Amino acid sequence: MLNDKDLKQIEARGASPATVRAQVERFKTGFPWMNIEGPAVPGHGIQVLDEKQLEEASAYVETAQVNGKCKFVPASGAASRMFKDLFSGLEKLSAGEAIADDSPAAKFVAAIEKFAFYDESLFGKPENTSASRRDILAKTLTDEGLGYGAKPKGVLKFHKYEGETRTAFAEHLVEAQDYMRNADGSANLVVTVSPEHRALFEAALEEVKALYEERYGVKYSVEFTYQDKATDTVAVTPENEPFRTETGELLFRPAGHGALIHNLNALSDELVSIKNIDNVAVERLLPITAKYKKALMGKALELRDTIFGYLRLLDEMFPVDVYKDIKIPGYNNTVGDLDVYNSEQCRTLCEDIESFLAEQLCITLPAASNTVERVEQLRKVLDRPIRVCGMVKNLGEPGGGPFIIREKDGSTSLQILEGVQINPSDANAVACLKAATHFNPVDLVCCLHNYKGEKFDLLQYVDEEAGFISSKSYKGRELKALELPGLWNGSMSRWNTMFVEVPVETFNPVKVVLDLLRPAHIA
């Protein structure tokens, strides 16, 4: 399957032949469908906070001890999909064809003066002619003008204010100074970019950094990171043979946002907020955005402290240095004093933890065969990374959905699933999908340190069975692509998860350029 040339190519990418062979095998076997118990809904899987609870959660952030905060912003990739309809219109106009007045490209041209990037000296006044339409589209998308069709979303001018325009990246800087400040007044951001776009982001930062630091009284620390090429996955033909380019080389493709778990794993901060680069709004909506982001942080820290408390109680009840040499016959691990395990105190603590897991996190565990196994099972479940995910009422927007899943070991957990992970032939799964009321807008807060203050190795909590396969093409040739478990899907599958409802006003993504005409993007 792999020749000497392939092995050299793989080695040069920092990958391993074993990984590539495993990926090809995965195309053949596919991924298992998720075993869905039901949708997570308000009252059962999704918490809906009243005003008092919002205030309490926000207040908790102000007093909780946190070893560093960071805003993590996935921002790699060009904005080509954002302008897909415009490229189509430009292609027709350049070929001498007309475009319909109600087409996205025509609507864009008619509204060009409303966009933050409009400059009359570049675009002129729009006219209802093919020549004018073609000129405006070309100057938006190509090197005839702005060249936005090949630039990343983060550096595009999204919003227009009195005397100022802001990129999507600039709006993330403004957000960070509000709800992600550290105790010393700094705001840390880690932005994942493509190497070819780094200079654009650095220029966008340089343009506003000093201005915002003075205006908001903040000190920014911004780090740009790349998706590791070693995480790219090999493509295959429809027959599941390695796909080769015209030069005979293997074709590797970015493995989706799941590869960013490596970037997240490299962070030293304990509390991390995750939000996509295009999900921003004008500053007048920042109060409600910050209100709910602080509430998510507060719930994450409350959850962290409750879990840490349980783990410390278990340590006090079963101190390793005292019980390390005591073994129970028939049980392989060193466990401690059997009388302590069978005590009323131990049973009460286990019951408290089990009730907490079920009520707060929808986690139920299979019955343990003995008390020792029960304690160790609970300790293992508690000692995991934490995420609190904002959930928006489903209004037809794309996004992963919140579900309660039955795991292979019989336990249940809260998971965010994409549509491709749900078996269309499973009547129960389809019914659960139809009954779902919310979706995830990629609005997450994560706690990445354990109760001893150590960083979790996040790679140990990935469900490798939660990826998916998609159909793509390369220069007109059909291929199959492999996506790693998504960052907020399978990559966080084995985390302790809580879902909290957030209002739709906090979710304002720009998937196509006409989205910039929505009220949330007009100052």
Side-chain angles (χ1 to χ4, degrees), residues 38-104:
V41 295
H44 187 53
I46 299 178
Q47 297 190 20
V48 181
L49 307 180
D50 59 29
E51 202 61 35
K52 180 182 179 182
Q53 291 170 320
L54 285 169
E55 291 175 2
E56 290 173 347
S58 296
Y60 200 88
V61 178
E62 305 303 323
T63 57
Q65 294 294 314
V66 179
N67 187 15
K69 301 177 185 176
C70 174
K71 196 173 198 286
F72 185 81
V73 185
S76 57
S80 53
R81 281 184 290 182
M82 177 178 167
F83 296 109
K84 180 181 177 181
D85 292 330
L86 271 59
F87 274 113
S88 178
L90 178 59
E91 184 178 355
K92 288 184 178 181
L93 291 167
S94 298
E97 301 177 32
I99 59 174
D101 290 343
D102 62 351
S103 67

Side-chain angles (χ1 to χ4, degrees), residues 257-298:
H257 53 70
L260 298 181
I261 193 67
H262 294 267
N263 302 67
L264 195 64
N265 199 39
L267 302 184
S268 60
D269 295 295
E270 179 181 14
L271 189 70
V272 178
S273 166
I274 301 178
K275 194 176 182 186
N276 276 341
I277 188 66
D278 67 336
N279 184 14
V280 288
V282 291
E283 194 169 349
R284 64 180 168 81
L285 290 180
L286 182 53
I288 191 169
T289 298
K291 175 181 180 179
Y292 278 88
K293 202 68 177 186
K294 288 176 182 177
L296 294 181
M297 288 192 285

